């Protein structure tokens, strides 16, 4: 298969196809001329209408090419699939059909209610590639994971980074192995029964290597986001920008067999057109799903506390399969750790946790103290809990802390066991962050690798300023030094240590996670997304005061019960039951005493900082 170069550049008077190494052997190129900069040849392209330009040549796989506008410098293709020399170099033709897939029997996964596992290809293993990540997939299978979620792999400047400053959204970051490595990773995951979710960022681009504004109106000053001018979704030329976004997702699903997509910060996709770009994306993904005969899922990260994201497009919504629910994380984290700084200010009470576990959102129109305004809307009763992805940790909630410290650095083993139970046995779709399952002690910090000194310094200063105040000194017990994102040691320290799971204290927690995930599959009540059959009883210890909450909680999940003792003393917890149950899992032992009266509750004896699961 060959590639016929084409590009959207509506304001250009002339566009040239640049072949840095000259025309490939056997390619007859009319009108080609030597590049004045001594880099191969330039071939005039033809106007093809509606701002598009086309070159009547067929480039084979592996050919380097670029585009030059009005005699300017060579720029990579905005739809480049392969950037072997980085985001400033030429694109390379990639024939996706060359890969020998072995997943013909793969029928896909409906991700609702399944267990997600979020990983960063660069720090998941010492190798830092998709190939080396493949070597750890069996660990995820043994854990019981259903969906592997890759943090963004779109090409960005430098070697190391989170990936949320990608600038080439159709390409796979070359240090991770490039596009063929992603195909091989997905194929290997499918062979093990694992679906693959790709984190994609459409709301902004990184600062270095972003040449889109030279090609056309990809951005608009009519709207602004925290990153500056918004992506143009509703102004002149927006139909082509929207296609650039939608086509990229369809391509990942078709040519790379990706099963699901986590859409970053969709609240920053400002679109005042009659049909929101996410609704367009949902409808086109649904059509491709029907064509391929397997489920394709879209999961939105949104800060709006509004179910418009999961409302069908036929009812005026965006049609997403699911959405992240940060309020559940905040409720669990603030309760167990006692943290109240920043956006945790409205969280930490057990009653708030009850609201989150039954309603997904805590703020449903009331005042959000952190935002300084009323926020959110209630979740209608008929919305299934599996539509919400929840977590105790993720890349943001760890990496955006001043020191990138995980919950395991501040919470004891019993507290970690309780947090895991609240997430994995909730009525929602649970997500784990790499290493969480064994209580990894390695931090996961914010790291970058900008070759431009001035950009590296700006990021360093911005990061330091970001963590000035906000209670971080009180949290960490004194003045802190924010790690330099550009220091290679910051990246290296963020790698997982795969020797940890072999140590007794980590192995014990890993076994607990496996046990909880297995219970989701064995006990229908614990796997259900029925929020109407979810409740939370609170038994507080008097005089708890500030700091981590102490007391017992009883999470009702249909006929199952999850009894958690967050106090530092054993507790005898009354647990109402509608049918006989047995202890199905216990973090540190426990016993069930029969009721004093025939219709009374049983009493569950729970050790300090422990969990007992009854079903």
């Amino acid at each position: 298969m060959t590639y016929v170069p084409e590009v959207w550049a509506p304001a250009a008077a002339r566009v040239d196809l640049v072949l840095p190494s000259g025309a490939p052997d056997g390619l007859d190129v009319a009108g080609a001329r030597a590049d004045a900069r001594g880099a191969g040849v330039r071939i005039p392209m033809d106007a093809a209408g509606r701002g598009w330009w086309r070159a009547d040549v067929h480039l084979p796989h592996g050919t380097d090419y670029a585009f030059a506008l009005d005699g300017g410098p060579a720029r990579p293709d905005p739809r480049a699939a392969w950037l072997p020399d980085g985001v400033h170099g030429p694109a390379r033709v990639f024939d996706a059909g060359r890969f020998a897939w072995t997943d013909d029997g793969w029928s896909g996964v409906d991700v609702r209610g399944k267990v997600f596992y979020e990983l960063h290809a660069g720090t998941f293993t010492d190798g830092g590639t998709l190939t080396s990540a493949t070597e750890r997939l069996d660990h995820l299978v043994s854990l019981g994971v259903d969906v592997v979620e890759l943090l963004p792999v779109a090409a960005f400047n430098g070697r190391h980074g989170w990936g949320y400053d990608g600038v080439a959204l159709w390409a796979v970051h070359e240090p991770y192995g490039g596009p063929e490595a992603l195909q091989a990773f997905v194929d290997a995951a499918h062979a093990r029964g694992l679906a693959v979710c790709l984190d994609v960022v459409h709301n902004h681009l990184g600062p270095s290597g972003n040449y889109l504004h030279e090609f056309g109106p990809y951005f608009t000053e009519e709207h602004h986001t925290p990153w500056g001018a918004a992506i143009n979704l509703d102004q002149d030329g927006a139909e082509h920008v929207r296609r650039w976004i939608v086509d990229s997702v369809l391509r990942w699903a078709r040519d790379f067999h990706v099963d699901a997509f986590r859409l970053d910060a969709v609240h920053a996709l400002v679109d005042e057109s009659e049909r929101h770009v996410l609704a367009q994306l949902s409808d086109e993904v649904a059509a491709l799903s029907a064509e391929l005969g397997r489920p394709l899922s879209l999961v939105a990260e949104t800060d709006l506390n509004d179910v418009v994201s999961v409302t069908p497009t036929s009812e005026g919504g965006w049609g997403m399969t699911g959405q992240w629910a940060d309020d559940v994380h905040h409720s669990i984290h603030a309760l167990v750790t006692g943290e109240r700084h920043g956006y945790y200010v409205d969280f930490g009470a057990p009653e708030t946790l009850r609201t989150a576990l039954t309603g997904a959102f805590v703020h449903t129109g009331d005042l959000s103290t952190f935002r300084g305004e009323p926020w959110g809307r209630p979740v209608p009763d008929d919305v299934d809990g599996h539509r919400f992805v929840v977590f105790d940790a993720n890349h943001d909630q760890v990496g955006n802390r001043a020191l990138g410290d995980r919950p395991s650095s501040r919470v004891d083993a019993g507290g970690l066991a309780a947090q895991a139970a609240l997430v994995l046995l909730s009525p929602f779709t649970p997500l784990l962050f790499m290493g969480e399952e064994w209580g990894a002690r390695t931090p996961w910090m914010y790291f970058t690798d900008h070759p431009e000194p001035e950009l590296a310094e700006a990021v360093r200063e911005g990061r330091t300023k970001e963590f000035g105040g906000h209670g971080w000194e009180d949290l960490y017990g004194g003045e802190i030094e924010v790690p330099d994102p550009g220091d290679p040691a910051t990246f290296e320290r963020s790698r997982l240590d795969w020797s940890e799971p072999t140590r007794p204290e980590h192995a014990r927690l890993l076994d607990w996670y496996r046990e909880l995930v297995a219970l989701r599959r064995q006990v229908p009540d614990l796997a259900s997304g029925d929020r109407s059959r979810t409740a939370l009883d609170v038994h507080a210890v008097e005089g708890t005061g500030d700091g981590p909450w102490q007391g017992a909680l009883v999470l009702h999940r249909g006929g199952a019960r999850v009894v958690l003792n967050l106090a530092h003393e054993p507790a005898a917890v009354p647990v109402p039951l509608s049918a006989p149950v047995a202890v199905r899992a216990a973090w540190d032992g426990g016993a069930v005493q029969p009721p004093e009266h025939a219709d009374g509750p049983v009493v569950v004896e729970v050790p300090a900082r422990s969990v007992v699961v009854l079903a």
Side-chain angles (χ1 to χ4, degrees):
M1 181 179 177
T2 57
Y3 167 64
V4 177
E6 58 182 0
V7 66
W8 182 59
R14 188 182 96 213
V15 179
D16 292 328
L17 169 67
V18 181
L19 301 179
S21 301
D25 291 343
L27 187 65
D28 182 18
V29 181
R33 63 187 183 281
D35 182 74
R37 296 167 176 79
V41 299
R42 293 194 172 205
I43 303 159
M45 301 178 72
D46 299 320
R50 303 184 68 208
W52 283 84
W53 298 78
R54 190 173 187 274
D56 190 19
V57 296
H58 294 261
L59 303 180
H61 174 85
T63 304
D64 288 351
Y65 73 100
F67 300 118
L69 309 178
D70 295 323
R75 298 302 192 202
D77 184 356
R79 295 187 174 213
W82 193 3
L83 291 169
D85 297 319
V87 297
H88 300 288
R92 181 169 292 172
V93 176
F94 177 72
D95 180 2
R98 291 164 54 97
F99 186 78
W101 290 95
T102 65
D103 66 349
D104 289 347
W106 177 250
S107 58
V109 170
D110 182 341
V111 304
R112 291 171 293 186
K114 299 300 189 291
V115 178
F116 278 69
Y117 187 96
E118 185 185 52
L119 68 86
H120 175 263
T123 53
F124 185 55
T125 64
D126 287 341
T129 67
L130 290 163
T131 300
S132 60
T134 301
E135 299 168 2
R136 293 292 184 181
L137 288 178
D138 288 338
H139 167 79
L140 305 188
V141 173
S142 70
L143 179 58
V145 166
D146 302 294
V147 184
V148 184
E149 181 177 315
L150 291 171
L151 267 64
V153 299
F156 56 88
N157 191 37
R159 290 187 57 84
H160 312 309
W162 280 19
Y164 291 91
D165 55 356
V167 295
L169 305 189
W170 288 53
V172 178
H173 193 49
E174 189 65 16
Y176 293 163
E180 188 170 350
L182 178 59
Q183 290 179 313
F185 179 89
V186 174
D187 196 48
H190 288 174
R192 293 164 171 81
L194 298 169
V196 176
C197 176
L198 190 61
D199 195 335
V200 290
V201 185
H202 300 137
N203 53 64
H204 75 290
L205 276 78
S208 182
N210 177 6
Y211 299 110
L212 288 181
H213 62 281
E214 298 182 18
F215 284 91
Y218 281 86
F219 302 90
T220 175
E221 292 290 343
E222 291 296 317
H223 309 298
H224 284 81
T225 74
W227 305 281
I231 298 291
N232 177 18
L233 301 172
D234 56 10
Q235 305 298 309
D236 288 346
E239 65 270 24
H240 300 284
V241 181
R242 294 164 73 103
R243 284 255 58 92
W244 172 72
I245 290 173
V246 173
D247 289 348
S248 70
V249 174
L250 299 179
R251 172 179 164 274
W252 292 125
R254 180 185 290 109
D255 294 348
F256 291 79
H257 296 200
V258 171
D259 303 283
F261 300 88
R262 183 260 189 190
L263 309 176
D264 182 67
V266 299
H267 48 270
L269 292 171
V270 186
D271 185 0
E272 296 180 354
S273 63
E274 291 185 5
R275 186 187 187 202
H276 197 285
V277 67
L278 293 179
Q280 177 184 348
L281 176 63
S282 292
D283 288 341
E284 295 198 31
V285 166
L288 180 59
S289 174
E291 175 189 329
L292 297 177
R294 60 182 174 90
L296 297 175
S297 303
L298 299 171
V299 179
E301 183 209 11
T302 169
D303 184 43
L304 301 178
N305 279 28
D306 192 331
V307 295
V308 63
S309 59
V310 295
T311 300
T313 60
S314 60
E315 299 174 17
W318 299 343
M320 302 282 104
T321 311
Q323 69 175 78
W324 278 28
D326 282 345
D327 283 5
V328 176
H329 165 269
H330 299 348
S331 299
I332 295 173
H333 182 87
L335 183 86
V336 175
T337 66
E339 293 183 10
R340 301 290 189 277
H341 67 287
Y343 47 68
Y344 296 129
V345 64
D346 290 333
F347 299 86
E351 293 76 19
T352 305
L353 177 62
R354 176 191 293 132
T355 300
L357 289 175
T358 56
F361 301 153
V362 169
H363 291 301
T364 57
D366 58 316
L367 175 68
S368 166
T369 305
F370 176 70
R371 298 179 180 92
E373 59 181 301
W375 203 257
R377 294 196 302 169
V379 176
D381 292 341
D382 61 349
V383 178
D384 189 79
H386 287 164
R387 290 298 193 102
F388 303 96
V389 176
V390 304
F391 32 79
D392 174 49
N394 64 40
H395 70 278
D396 272 331
Q397 303 303 339
V398 175
N400 282 329
R401 293 173 67 85
L403 301 181
D405 49 310
R406 296 168 176 265
S408 53
S409 69
R410 311 185 64 81
V411 177
D412 64 347
L416 295 176
Q419 290 175 317
L422 287 170
V423 169
L424 285 167
L425 304 182
S426 73
F428 307 118
T429 294
L431 176 143
L432 311 178
F433 180 56
M434 61 178 193
E436 169 193 341
E437 68 272 24
W438 69 74
R441 297 298 175 86
T442 49
W444 201 75
M445 297 178 283
Y446 181 69
F447 47 83
T448 59
D449 181 37
H450 294 299
E452 302 92 341
E454 66 281 2
L455 181 54
E457 180 60 26
V459 171
R460 182 183 303 112
E461 291 180 357
R463 192 70 174 173
T464 300
K465 184 181 297 184
E466 178 183 354
F467 290 103
H470 297 295
W472 290 102
E473 291 83 357
D474 293 339
L475 174 65
Y476 291 116
E479 188 173 339
I480 61 171
E481 181 176 349
V482 179
D484 177 3
D487 185 345
T490 304
F491 168 73
E492 293 296 336
R493 288 179 58 205
S494 298
R495 290 188 193 271
L496 280 182
D497 178 359
W498 282 92
S499 71
E500 284 186 336
T502 64
R503 301 170 195 166
E505 67 273 23
H506 294 292
R508 181 187 178 203
L509 188 62
L510 177 56
D511 285 343
W512 176 248
Y513 269 80
R514 287 173 173 152
E515 194 171 10
L516 294 180
V517 173
L519 279 176
R520 286 180 57 86
R521 295 180 174 177
Q522 297 165 5
V523 180
D525 279 342
L526 295 176
S528 169
D530 187 348
R531 294 183 295 117
S532 69
R533 302 192 68 206
T534 300
L536 187 71
D537 298 336
V538 177
H539 303 271
V541 173
E542 292 186 9
T544 297
D546 295 333
W549 184 80
Q550 293 192 49
L553 303 170
V554 181
L555 176 62
H556 297 236
R557 296 284 285 116
R561 301 289 184 268
V562 184
V563 189
L564 308 100
N565 180 15
L566 294 175
H568 291 278
E569 299 292 336
V573 184
V575 177
L577 295 171
S578 57
V581 296
V583 174
R584 299 295 298 272
W587 170 249
D588 200 21
V592 179
Q593 302 299 334
E596 293 183 6
H597 308 287
D599 57 351
V602 301
V603 175
V604 181
E605 296 178 353
V606 189
R609 309 291 287 174
S610 191
V611 183
V612 175
V613 181
L614 308 173

